[in-house]
Amino acid sequence: MQRRAILSAVRTLGGHPTAADVFSALRDEYPNLSLATVYRALHALVEQGVIGETRVDNVSRYDTSPIPHHHVVCRHCGNVADLPQLILGDDLFRTAEAHSGFLLDGRSVQLTGLCPACSLSAVASRS
Amino acid sequence: MQRRAILSAVRTLGGHPTAADVFSALRDEYPNLSLATVYRALHALVEQGVIGETRVDNVSRYDTSPIPHHHVVCRHCGNVADLPQLILGDDLFRTAEAHSGFLLDGRSVQLTGLCPACSLSAVASRS
DNA sequence: CTAATTGCAAACGTTTTGCAGCGTT
DNA sequence: AACGCTGCAAAACGTTTGCAATTAG
């Protein structure tokens, strides 16, 4: 049962690994591991609330922690960083809910911009 | 040049149509319109700043207006609604920037939850 | 005549699925 | 025996691309 190995790979990798990241990390130890297995395991772990899932761009990324928090996504290199959820106050959610009629769940808030590395290289590449 | 037709389809459709939505809307009038053309046209229109693009779930959605504003996405039915951008104040962005070291661009902010219809049916389906 | 636009089909990358085999209990 | 977990290959999905033909300027 390499499902355990998949979970611990997510944890050792840290950050926000994709299914492919997890797959490559385990390929050495489990040479005939299938990508399908990785997807099935990750999906199961999300359903059990053991890990979190965020969809960024076109890709599912998995999160060591299932507790609600927000994300900043670099629009240049695609890196994802965490943001404590307290940054966006409850009042904000209430305002947004009042505006939209939606019932917001506090989880997935996604801001985009440039990460430190990419904003530096953006400055550097200005002629 | 059906690129014009594609733009006006986005406008008449309103909301946040996908490329497929636009395609189906035009299929009657342009029976041999290609999906590739729709994608190319939409992409060009986004580049020109005529329309806006938001990626939700796995799908690009196009927006009548290219001016920055935020979105609420229903995690059940996938519907997208607009949110005035002023809901997230500048101070909030600055706090998030300070926290993450990212340089945020104020555009794509995405909250998720349940839309009015889906939150009603969620309540109704509780045993 | 040149450049842009189009249709078709094929390719793409990510994710899912059918099915048979394997392991555990 | 029954069940869940796995590998493989194939399919699905939205999207992009190569190419040749058409159209616009």
Side-chain angles (χ1 to χ4, degrees):
Chain A
M1 189 193 276
Q2 39 214 164
R3 191 158 292 193
R4 312 252 166 180
I6 289 169
L7 173 56
S8 63
V10 172
R11 291 191 168 143
T12 10
L13 283 169
H16 302 81
T18 63
D21 291 337
V22 174
F23 178 67
S24 335
L26 292 172
R27 210 177 19 188
D28 288 349
E29 195 179 352
Y30 301 86
N32 47 3
L33 171 66
S34 168
L35 203 48
T37 304
V38 176
Y39 275 106
R40 280 189 274 232
L42 291 173
H43 192 255
L45 291 166
V46 170
E47 291 240 315
Q48 291 161 29
V50 181
I51 59 176
E53 183 179 10
T54 325
R55 254 180 150 123
V56 170
D57 232 17
N58 263 1
V59 186
S60 282
R61 287 168 174 277
Y62 298 89
D63 212 306
T64 322
S65 130
I67 65 167
H69 59 275
H70 308 318
H71 293 108
V72 245
V73 184
C74 177
R75 96 171 100 78
H76 188 247
C77 70
N79 267 2
V80 180
D82 293 333
L83 226 45
Q85 67 168 333
L86 52 115
I87 279 189
L88 293 116
D90 287 346
D91 48 329
L92 189 137
F93 278 93
R94 269 184 237 112
T95 317
E97 284 186 332
H99 244 281
S100 62
F102 275 53
L103 193 63
L104 301 174
D105 67 359
R107 292 179 140 251
S108 41
V109 170
Q110 208 179 273
L111 312 182
T112 46
L114 291 176
C115 73
C118 290
S119 48
L120 280 181
S121 56
V123 171
S125 69
R126 274 191 212 139
S127 54
Chain B
M1 189 192 275
Q2 39 215 160
R3 190 156 293 190
R4 313 254 164 178
I6 290 169
L7 172 56
S8 64
V10 172
R11 292 191 166 141
T12 9
L13 283 169
H16 302 81
T18 64
D21 291 337
V22 174
F23 178 67
S24 334
L26 291 172
R27 211 179 17 187
D28 288 348
E29 194 180 351
Y30 301 86
N32 47 3
L33 171 66
S34 167
L35 201 48
T37 303
V38 175
Y39 276 107
R40 279 189 277 234
L42 291 173
H43 192 255
L45 291 166
V46 170
E47 291 241 315
Q48 291 161 28
V50 182
I51 59 177
E53 182 179 11
T54 325
R55 257 187 145 116
V56 169
D57 232 17
N58 262 2
V59 187
S60 282
R61 287 170 173 277
Y62 297 88
D63 213 306
T64 323
S65 132
I67 64 167
H69 60 276
H70 308 319
H71 293 108
V72 245
V73 184
C74 177
R75 98 172 99 76
H76 188 249
C77 69
N79 266 2
V80 180
D82 293 332
L83 226 44
Q85 69 168 331
L86 51 115
I87 279 190
L88 288 115
D90 286 346
D91 48 330
L92 203 136
F93 275 95
R94 269 184 236 112
T95 318
E97 284 186 333
H99 244 278
S100 61
F102 275 53
L103 194 63
L104 300 174
D105 69 357
R107 291 180 141 251
S108 40
V109 169
Q110 208 181 274
L111 312 182
T112 46
L114 291 176
C115 73
C118 290
S119 48
L120 280 181
S121 56
V123 170
S125 68
R126 276 193 210 136
S127 54

